[in-house]
């Protein structure tokens, strides 16, 4: 069976246009899937960053609670030591400047220890703040790497590709059709 060149050219043109249309649809589907993947990855990163910040804050709260308990124990022990010193001095019949000097020494030691704990707590708070900032910057960098530009197909480019494919197919069809013609032989 022999097809006329116009039919072959039409089929080739339609195949070229269809191919471009299918390519556009595939690119569009791929772009949507990439966008969905990026959205899911970004949401997971935000959740991870939130959990990291919560963990840092919980560690800070635990450290503050431990320091508060330690200060309470120091205060209690200091009060007990002062009370024992007063009782001992009273039982020994000692009074005056020497007893007051001993009491002042206990108080000074307690104040020094409290001051050191307060400074330690300040430095710990600075460390926590720096840790939170670092976690935030690291999360921001991860989000930047996740959210890369997505190559979205252009309808105009797909349309021009379909036209180009169609014309190319039409030209190929005409070429094939012209080669299929058999030369007529003359009978004498």
């Amino acid at each position: 069976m022999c097809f006329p060149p116009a039919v072959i050219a039409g089929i080739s043109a339609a195949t070229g246009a269809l191919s471009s249309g299918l390519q556009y649809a595939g690119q569009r589907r791929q772009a949507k899937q990439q966008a969905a993947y990026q959205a899911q990855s970004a949401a997971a990163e935000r959740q991870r960053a939130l959990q990291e910040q919560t963990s840092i804050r919980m560690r800070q709260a635990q450290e503050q609670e431990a320091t508060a308990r330690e200060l309470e124990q120091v205060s209690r022990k200091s009060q007990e030591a002062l009370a024992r010193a007063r009782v001992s001095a009273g039982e020994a019949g000692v009074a005056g400047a020497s007893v007051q000097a001993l009491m002042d020494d206990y108080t000074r030691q307690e104040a020094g220890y409290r001051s050191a704990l307060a400074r330690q707590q300040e430095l710990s708070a600075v460390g926590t703040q720096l840790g939170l900032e670092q976690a935030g910057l690291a999360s921001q960098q991860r989000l930047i790497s996740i959210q890369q530009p997505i190559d979205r197909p252009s309808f105009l480019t797909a349309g021009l590709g379909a036209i180009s494919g169609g014309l190319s197919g039409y030209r190929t069809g005409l070429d094939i059709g012209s080669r299929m013609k058999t030369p007529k032989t003359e009978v004498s």
Side-chain angles (χ1 to χ4, degrees):
M1 177 176 197
C2 186
F3 292 106
V7 171
I8 293 173
I11 291 172
S12 294
T15 302
L18 182 63
S19 173
S20 289
L22 291 174
Q23 184 178 11
Y24 171 78
Q27 289 172 344
R28 187 168 174 221
R29 184 174 47 255
Q30 184 178 9
K32 283 182 179 181
Q33 288 172 342
Q34 181 67 26
Y37 170 78
Q38 284 183 0
Q40 183 181 10
S41 295
E45 172 54 28
R46 283 190 292 276
Q47 181 64 33
R48 188 211 60 76
L50 184 61
Q51 288 175 340
E52 183 178 6
Q53 289 177 354
T54 300
S55 174
I56 291 170
R57 289 287 186 200
M58 286 181 68
R59 187 173 58 246
Q60 179 186 32
Q62 289 169 347
E63 289 172 0
Q64 288 174 343
E65 187 177 323
T67 301
R69 277 195 309 267
E70 190 173 350
L71 282 171
E72 185 181 312
Q73 287 176 352
V74 165
S75 180
R76 188 174 32 81
K77 287 181 181 180
S78 177
Q79 293 300 322
E80 289 172 359
L82 284 172
R84 275 194 309 272
R86 276 191 204 110
V87 170
S88 294
E91 288 175 352
V94 179
S98 61
V99 173
Q100 187 59 44
L102 180 63
M103 301 292 179
D104 290 346
D105 187 51
Y106 280 138
T107 304
R108 183 191 54 76
Q109 287 178 18
E110 180 188 356
Y113 191 73
R114 283 180 171 277
S115 176
L117 281 177
R119 180 65 179 149
Q120 182 181 354
Q121 214 169 15
E122 288 173 7
L123 292 174
S124 178
V126 168
T128 297
Q129 186 59 37
L130 290 174
L132 287 169
E133 288 175 13
Q134 174 60 31
L137 290 172
S139 179
Q140 186 178 30
Q141 289 300 316
R142 282 193 280 291
L143 284 171
I144 288 171
S145 71
I146 288 170
Q147 296 177 340
Q148 294 295 315
I150 298 172
D151 188 21
R152 299 189 187 278
S154 164
F155 189 72
L156 176 63
T157 304
L160 291 174
I163 292 171
S164 173
L167 291 175
S168 175
Y170 183 75
R171 185 178 58 242
T172 302
L174 288 178
D175 185 45
I176 291 171
S178 69
R179 291 181 187 186
M180 292 179 61
K181 290 184 182 178
T182 55
K184 293 184 180 179
T185 55
E186 292 184 21
V187 181
S188 1

